[in-house]
Amino acid sequence: MDQTGDTAPIIRIQGLHKWFGDFHVLQGIDLDVTKGERIVICGPSGSGKSTLIRCINRLEDHQKGSIVVDGIELTTDIKNIEAVRAEVGMVFQHFNLFPHLTILENLALGPIWVRKTPKKEAEEAAMYFLEKVHIAEQAYKYPGQLSGGQQQRVAIARSLCMKPKVMLFDEPTSALDPEMVKEVLEVMIQLAQEGITMLVVTHEMGFAKSVAHRVLFMDFGQVVEQNTPVDFFDHPRHERTKLFLSQILH
Amino acid sequence: MDAADLKNRFADMKPPRTRVGVLGWIRTNLFGGWLSSILTLLILFVLYKTAVPFLKWALIDGLWTATGAQCKESPGACWSIIVRNIRFIIFGFFPLDQHWRPLAAMLLLFGLLFVSQYRRFWNRRLAWAWGAGLVVMGVLLKGGILGLPAVETEKWSGLPLTLLLSVFGLTAAYPLGVLLALGRQSNMPFIRILSVLYIELIRGVPLISLLFMSSVMFPLFLPEGVVINKILRAQMAIILFTAAYIAEVVRGGLQAMPRGQYEAAEALGLNYYLTMRLVILPQALKIVIPPTVSILISAFKDTSLVVIIALYDVLKTTQARLADPEWMGFSSEAYIFLAVLYFLGCFSMSHFSRRLERDLTHEH
């Protein structure tokens, strides 16, 4: 798959433009993500940060530019879209667990049907990941019986079961009660320590500081500024960034 | 106060008692105030004036085995119109000495339906049992092999015909309706337009006209010598008609599905077919169980419209007895019998759907 060696970016986005009708939501995004890199994307609402990561597994299509994920070009290789999606895990703001399936079935669904893993093996792997997010005892319950924080941890485990090369997080803690944010962030930090490639849209600046290699600040569909967390928080260059940081860091 | 104290502070308190015994219930619910009391008495009076004479007519004075002539002398209900004609009403023109065959077929069908209502039996073996059961039923009705005399489909009538039309009509219409609903939401314009045209055209005409078309117009378009069985044509009309209604109900269910469910399935790499089969349809179809069952119930009753193309379903065989001079004038009894028969069918469906809904509910 990866013919160009380890140094080649696992995701390469070049000159990306996207419109919702007349609204120009992404305006010329360039972004390379190397294997194992952890990127936090922040910015005001409507800045296009969620749209950007949704383009990476083509939940949204784009009109100009190119996105290459693990050697597969999303602009032309639409037939391979399921192959890309299988390699890219996604965690949503509202969990989006399948309410008619048990937790274990939620986790085993992708491996069984997409990866063609035998059921028993898929369920064993599912239990392994459930233990990893500290929720194995809930395996036979249904999503409706779990708290928001537990559901989001299940959602993370569901993505991990596909053994993805990249994990995308779309505001994973913003729909949670304050008491449950911590348990989800702890799981995400644990993942980060294992070296998985992560793109995280979030306003949890503590998380950004402790795990990100790079922080991107977006506004008006553009990447306004990007830097290491230390420089980003301590020495923001752009006026817009300073204003944003002053509003979210009290 | 620590957390445990806080939690157990009111542990001994029970919800307040709202009713005390039967008398208390009657007092609060039937005689709660002067208006309520008057209404209660009024309803009791109306019941006394209607239910009591009816029960007297139907049960106390009712005749169960008398002849038509004896019935005409009596003030009570003449149930013997049903009892004495039961074989014709149930089996119609099926050869008299072969009645055991449709009877066996119906018992087999009821058995399969009964087992199928329990979700724990929904497995491959039940599917095979249905497959084998259908073959056996077909052989029983049609005959011509295994030493069973052949019976022309023109002679299929009565209750077996009603069950044939409704059970196959409904089981074929349901998947067709689901496909149409998916077609209506398709990204492919050709499929979408075809589905919309089908649904709107079929919903735009009464079932009666479809039945007429199937029996009168349709044969005109067939090449000479090709004859499609009349029952099959009526069956097709019922299937096509019911599917259009089911399609619209299912579309409602599909639209009620949150966008996030599609996205989560797609993000896992599931293709369209798997997304629909594993994630969307199981939820969408569950949401629309109540309206779907309404449609199925009304389709079950609508099978009786096949009388207009001269098929003798159980409604028609019963009516046919009313034309017999011996039994003329006992239409109340005949129609009450039919009403009970149809009610049993409809109520079973409704009961099954409630059980299914309960079994499929997982929240809390």
Side-chain angles (χ1 to χ4, degrees):
Chain A
M1 288 267 242
D2 197 358
Q3 292 133 348
T4 42
D6 270 335
T7 49
I10 192 157
I11 300 172
R12 167 160 278 180
I13 300 173
Q14 285 174 318
L16 183 71
H17 287 267
K18 175 173 176 60
W19 286 264
F20 284 126
D22 284 338
F23 178 52
H24 196 174
V25 57
L26 293 178
Q27 309 183 2
I29 306 281
D30 296 296
L31 178 66
D32 278 0
V33 183
T34 54
K35 205 169 257 181
E37 194 174 16
R38 297 186 289 275
I39 297 180
V40 164
I41 305 171
C42 59
S45 68
S47 59
K49 53 195 191 304
S50 284
T51 311
L52 174 63
I53 67 163
R54 288 162 60 87
C55 282
I56 293 172
N57 66 352
R58 213 175 171 79
L59 287 179
E60 304 283 355
D61 58 356
H62 56 272
Q63 282 81 44
K64 262 188 95 178
S66 74
I67 303 178
V68 181
V69 178
D70 196 27
I72 299 173
E73 156 92 63
L74 287 191
T75 2
T76 51
D77 289 356
I78 292 307
K79 289 205 180 81
N80 289 329
I81 187 64
E82 273 109 30
V84 171
R85 284 171 174 165
E87 303 303 331
V88 178
M90 178 110 182
V91 175
F92 298 89
Q93 182 178 2
H94 295 287
F95 332 136
N96 297 348
L97 296 178
F98 307 129
H100 62 300
L101 300 177
T102 64
I103 299 307
L104 195 63
E105 289 166 337
N106 264 277
L107 267 67
L109 191 76
I112 289 174
W113 293 94
V114 180
R115 296 257 191 254
K116 314 284 180 213
T117 315
K119 186 165 182 258
K120 193 164 170 284
E121 204 178 302
E123 287 183 346
E124 279 167 11
M127 284 310 293
Y128 169 77
F129 284 110
L130 278 181
E131 266 160 36
K132 203 159 179 169
V133 299
H134 320 297
I135 211 160
E137 69 281 5
Q138 315 280 8
Y140 297 98
K141 288 193 179 167
Y142 286 90
Q145 297 166 309
L146 268 54
S147 74
Q150 290 173 322
Q151 289 194 47
Q152 191 62 299
R153 285 186 280 149
V154 171
I156 293 172
R158 179 174 67 177
S159 286
L160 292 176
C161 280
M162 293 294 288
K163 313 239 165 58
K165 297 188 170 138
V166 179
M167 284 285 286
L168 306 175
F169 293 83
D170 187 2
E171 306 208 26
T173 55
S174 45
L176 295 174
D177 289 340
E179 281 183 313
M180 292 165 183
V181 171
K182 190 162 160 264
E183 66 188 51
V184 171
L185 286 179
E186 277 169 0
V187 167
M188 289 171 63
I189 289 168
Q190 183 188 327
L191 276 185
Q193 285 158 355
E194 289 170 16
I196 191 163
T197 314
M198 292 168 95
L199 269 80
V200 186
V201 171
T202 186
H203 290 146
E204 293 295 333
M205 291 303 137
F207 174 79
K209 275 180 195 163
S210 61
V211 307
H213 294 121
R214 199 159 25 132
V215 180
L216 261 66
F217 173 66
M218 285 182 69
D219 202 1
F220 304 110
Q222 301 164 29
V223 177
V224 177
E225 180 166 352
Q226 52 176 313
N227 217 328
T228 60
V230 175
D231 289 334
F232 180 84
F233 290 110
D234 295 346
H235 311 288
R237 289 178 297 229
H238 218 279
E239 283 307 315
R240 183 67 191 88
T241 317
K242 287 177 191 159
L243 180 67
F244 178 76
L245 288 176
S246 73
Q247 278 161 345
I248 63 164
L249 303 171
H250 308 290
Chain B
M1 218 181 321
D2 66 17
D5 285 341
L6 205 57
K7 194 177 167 206
N8 295 321
R9 199 164 149 206
F10 292 113
D12 295 336
M13 260 181 108
K14 297 274 173 282
R17 287 184 76 117
T18 45
R19 59 179 81 157
V20 187
V22 181
L23 279 176
W25 184 87
I26 289 176
R27 211 182 145 147
T28 41
N29 291 291
L30 301 181
F31 298 96
W34 61 270
L35 182 64
S36 167
S37 307
I38 288 174
L39 283 175
T40 301
L41 292 172
L42 197 67
I43 287 164
L44 283 175
F45 179 72
V46 170
L47 273 180
Y48 174 73
K49 277 291 182 193
T50 54
V52 172
F54 175 81
L55 290 175
K56 184 171 185 311
W57 172 80
L59 300 178
I60 298 171
D61 295 340
L63 296 174
W64 294 85
T65 51
T67 61
Q70 289 167 321
C71 271
K72 290 196 169 91
E73 309 286 306
S74 153
C78 182
W79 300 115
S80 47
I81 181 180
I82 306 299
V83 176
R84 291 195 147 219
N85 296 306
I86 192 72
R87 290 183 74 160
F88 181 76
I89 287 174
I90 301 292
F91 301 113
F93 304 111
F94 212 88
L96 198 59
D97 58 339
Q98 301 292 321
H99 277 182
W100 66 272
R101 282 159 54 183
L103 181 66
M106 286 197 294
L107 290 178
L108 183 58
L109 177 69
F110 290 140
L112 284 169
L113 287 173
F114 183 78
V115 174
S116 305
Q117 70 174 315
Y118 299 103
R119 259 186 99 229
R120 64 174 182 276
F121 295 127
W122 290 10
N123 53 33
R124 207 166 291 250
R125 271 164 64 196
L126 185 61
W128 282 110
W130 269 103
L134 291 179
V135 172
V136 172
M137 283 182 242
V139 168
L140 280 170
L141 286 180
K142 192 115 177 63
I145 51 169
L146 301 173
L148 296 171
V151 177
E152 319 249 306
T153 53
E154 282 72 34
K155 298 220 162 95
W156 295 10
S157 40
L159 190 58
L161 179 64
T162 298
L163 292 172
L164 180 80
L165 290 173
S166 39
V167 172
F168 290 100
L170 305 191
T171 42
Y174 188 71
L176 181 59
V178 172
L179 285 181
L180 282 166
L182 292 175
R184 198 172 180 159
Q185 299 223 315
S186 170
N187 292 326
M188 288 173 267
F190 179 71
I191 291 182
R192 188 172 61 241
I193 290 167
L194 212 63
S195 308
V196 171
L197 272 179
Y198 175 93
I199 292 166
E200 297 303 336
L201 277 177
I202 298 281
R203 283 204 310 167
V205 295
L207 178 57
I208 290 190
S209 64
L210 275 183
L211 286 169
F212 271 129
M213 278 201 269
S214 76
S215 97
V216 183
M217 276 172 59
F218 183 61
L220 299 179
F221 297 114
L222 289 175
E224 211 154 325
V226 176
V227 184
I228 294 184
N229 183 290
K230 196 174 178 182
I231 294 178
L232 188 62
R233 278 183 274 140
Q235 180 88 79
M236 287 307 295
I238 290 170
I239 292 172
L240 296 179
F241 184 79
T242 309
Y245 283 86
I246 289 180
E248 283 300 271
V249 163
V250 172
R251 183 166 70 103
L254 289 174
Q255 284 173 349
M257 291 305 299
R259 184 81 213 121
Q261 290 291 305
Y262 291 89
E263 290 181 349
E266 286 164 11
L268 283 176
L270 296 172
N271 58 26
Y272 173 82
Y273 167 74
L274 287 176
T275 300
M276 285 299 160
R277 180 180 144 199
L278 300 171
V279 176
I280 303 299
L281 284 177
Q283 298 183 65
L285 294 182
K286 190 202 132 196
I287 304 175
V288 296
I289 286 175
T292 309
V293 171
S294 286
I295 288 173
L296 295 182
I297 283 177
S298 95
F300 169 59
K301 292 179 294 180
D302 284 350
T303 57
S304 58
L305 288 172
V306 294
V307 298
I308 61 143
I309 55 168
L311 287 176
Y312 272 65
D313 75 334
V314 71
L315 179 77
K316 190 62 186 170
T317 53
T318 311
Q319 279 180 329
R321 287 293 92 171
L322 289 171
D324 182 336
E326 191 188 349
W327 301 106
M328 226 173 248
F330 299 116
S331 51
S332 307
E333 291 86 340
Y335 287 119
I336 287 174
F337 167 75
L338 281 172
V340 169
L341 207 60
Y342 274 98
F343 176 79
L344 287 176
C346 297
F347 184 74
S348 318
M349 282 193 256
S350 147
H351 183 76
F352 166 66
S353 82
R354 264 176 291 142
R355 179 200 299 270
L356 191 60
E357 266 187 277
R358 198 186 52 213
D359 287 354
L360 294 177
T361 301
H362 303 306
E363 281 83 356
H364 308 294

